[in-house]
Amino acid sequence: GLSAGVACDFRGLSLSVSGYDERLPELLSLIASQLRTFVITPLAFERRCDALRRQLASFAKKQPVSLCSYHRGQLLESPKYSVEQLEAAAQRVDLNAMRAFQQGLLPSAEVEALVFGNVDVAGASAYLDVLNAALSPKPLSAAEAPKRLVRRLPLSPRTATRQQFIARNADEVNSATELYYAVGLDEGSNWMLLALLSQLLEQSFYGELRTKQQLGYIVQSGVAESRGVRSLVFSVQSKVEPPEVERRVLAFLRDYRRELVELSDAELASNLDSLSSQILDVDRRLPQQAGRFWSEITQRRYDYDRPWRVGAAIRRLTKPQLLAFFDRYVAEGGEDRRVLATHVFAPSASPSRLETNVALPNDFYATPPDQLDSRRV
């Protein structure tokens, strides 16, 4: 059997074909060549528009903890359309505009492909020839290449950049609080220390705020990444008001350093072994390996042996390194502590005045460099 798909994001279009048949190149050519010419019927257009409008309208009913993540992305990532902008565009678009857009699709493009499986170099090159022949794009200049940048939060050794919102769902009874600790780009051992710290404190954070303090059913922590910028994120959804939840998260982190100091060598070794094993648990099936390779390509990193190198390096991390990392990025007074607190209030708990319209300077992290040339063999 054969299968195919088309998807899009801010970077552009992605086409995929898979199967066991030798007619895969023919299928790829058919899909690529019809991107600009297939007939969009009025019925199909209205159905897709209606589905999109419904999806956007349902945003107001998202859980407050999800709204925290959304508002964080709106503040830190640029360019990024808001739900309101997308709703307005979905209401304006008509079939004629859609057809005009389709016909002018991809006047220039950078085509990058992964051909994976039972195929040799000549066969892989043939797939790319089929794609280029079907699309016939002009080269995409560096200035035209789509980019999404991530703003650098201001240093906040003892405070936090704070933004507050009210949930749009009038029936929502819960509020949510998110504390986002920016670490930055993948430099040195930072990514590995961040992953280790996240693994170590996850159960303690849940046990203290969910089990002991019973703040709410959603109490979670973990690592987040956006365009190569990594962070440690704490999220709580609760009927307790966000400023109080924020204070309790900060209190937990102040106390947690003592747990790190008291961490035994055996506990550290066990966690390092567990984390290394997780990283090395890759490529069990062909689609899984293809997905990992494609992720390296979309990140322009092309580091296909990364799991084995990182897995070995993680086992060499030490407690002094971990404490230094915590003190630098998380602890109050840290020299590189950059914190964003996002509060979403239930309508019934909204304060008389919100801290809104947080304006950050256009101080963006550098875009991770394209590593293709350095990875060539």
Side-chain angles (χ1 to χ4, degrees):
L2 300 174
S3 63
V6 180
C8 67
D9 62 16
F10 76 92
R11 291 166 293 197
L13 283 174
S14 60
L15 311 181
S16 61
V17 294
S18 61
Y20 302 102
D21 199 289
E22 67 276 2
R23 298 182 67 187
L24 269 179
E26 184 180 340
L27 176 61
L28 178 62
S29 176
L30 177 66
I31 294 172
S33 63
Q34 291 193 0
L35 284 173
R36 300 188 187 101
T37 60
F38 77 91
V39 177
I40 305 175
T41 67
L43 179 60
F45 175 77
E46 287 302 325
R47 283 179 174 173
R48 295 303 299 172
C49 278
D50 182 64
L52 176 60
R53 290 164 185 157
R54 288 175 181 270
Q55 178 185 356
L56 293 169
S58 69
F59 173 82
K61 295 186 177 181
K62 280 184 173 292
Q63 293 197 90
V65 71
S66 298
L67 297 177
C68 283
S69 177
Y70 164 79
H71 288 300
R72 181 230 306 164
Q74 288 295 307
L75 179 66
L76 297 183
E77 299 176 21
S78 178
K80 193 168 188 178
Y81 293 115
S82 68
V83 168
E84 291 78 13
Q85 289 172 311
L86 295 174
E87 284 180 317
Q91 293 299 329
R92 289 194 307 268
V93 70
D94 58 28
L95 182 55
N96 289 333
M98 188 71 249
R99 285 173 172 165
F101 174 80
Q102 177 195 17
Q103 291 166 8
L105 193 63
L106 298 176
S108 57
E110 177 183 285
V111 180
E112 193 161 12
L114 170 66
V115 184
F116 192 79
N118 187 23
V119 61
D120 57 17
V121 173
S125 297
Y127 277 95
L128 198 56
D129 290 342
V130 165
L131 197 57
N132 281 318
L135 296 175
S136 301
K138 297 178 181 177
L140 189 71
S141 69
E144 293 174 304
K147 294 181 178 66
R148 178 171 287 171
L149 304 176
V150 179
R151 284 187 175 84
R152 192 191 309 269
L153 286 166
L155 288 170
S156 48
R158 299 195 179 277
T159 58
T161 301
R162 188 172 292 105
Q163 55 177 354
Q164 298 179 327
F165 305 89
I166 300 173
R168 286 163 50 180
N169 182 3
D171 297 326
E172 182 58 67
V173 297
N174 288 299
S175 300
T177 306
E178 179 189 276
L179 266 67
Y180 167 96
Y181 288 75
V183 173
L185 299 171
D186 187 3
E187 297 174 351
S189 299
N190 278 357
W191 179 85
M192 295 180 287
L193 290 164
L194 175 61
L196 176 59
L197 178 61
S198 175
Q199 177 173 285
L200 283 166
L201 63 72
E202 182 178 15
Q203 288 188 352
S204 295
F205 180 67
Y206 183 88
E208 176 63 28
L209 274 72
R210 170 68 184 92
T211 306
K212 185 176 178 180
Q213 299 188 27
Q214 297 188 349
L215 284 187
Y217 285 106
I218 299 179
V219 174
Q220 57 196 24
S221 62
V223 174
E225 180 179 359
S226 175
R227 311 306 303 154
V229 177
R230 292 183 171 88
S231 58
L232 183 62
V233 180
F234 300 89
S235 304
V236 178
Q237 183 167 299
S238 172
K239 291 183 180 178
V240 178
E241 293 186 357
E244 176 60 23
V245 173
E246 181 182 334
R247 284 191 287 272
R248 297 197 196 185
V249 174
L250 293 174
F252 164 81
L253 290 172
R254 280 193 295 270
D255 293 340
Y256 183 73
R257 190 185 189 281
R258 184 170 57 253
E259 285 192 38
L260 290 181
V261 171
E262 296 173 353
L263 184 69
S264 70
D265 291 342
E267 289 176 305
L268 177 60
S270 176
N271 277 275
L272 291 174
D273 182 68
S274 171
L275 186 58
S276 178
S277 297
Q278 292 175 42
I279 291 171
L280 293 172
D281 186 22
V282 295
D283 302 350
R284 286 179 174 270
R285 298 173 62 244
L286 193 68
Q288 184 185 18
Q289 188 177 38
R292 182 173 70 82
F293 286 178
W294 187 242
S295 177
E296 289 291 329
I297 292 169
T298 58
Q299 294 180 70
R300 302 301 178 94
R301 198 165 56 191
Y302 309 97
D303 189 1
Y304 305 115
D305 294 330
R306 180 181 173 85
W308 292 272
R309 191 182 65 261
V310 171
I314 277 178
R315 295 178 186 272
R316 297 192 293 269
L317 296 177
T318 66
K319 188 162 73 173
Q321 285 179 297
L322 182 62
L323 285 168
F325 178 86
F326 182 89
D327 289 343
R328 178 179 178 182
Y329 292 104
V330 180
E332 292 180 6
E335 61 181 301
D336 280 322
R337 184 178 185 265
R338 301 173 190 269
V339 186
L340 172 65
T342 302
H343 299 168
V344 173
F345 290 86
S348 60
S350 59
S352 58
R353 181 176 176 273
L354 294 175
E355 295 184 43
T356 56
N357 300 319
V358 177
L360 295 181
N362 287 331
D363 177 18
F364 296 103
Y365 287 96
T367 301
D370 190 325
Q371 299 288 345
L372 180 60
D373 289 338
S374 65
R375 303 291 183 190
R376 292 184 188 276
V377 294

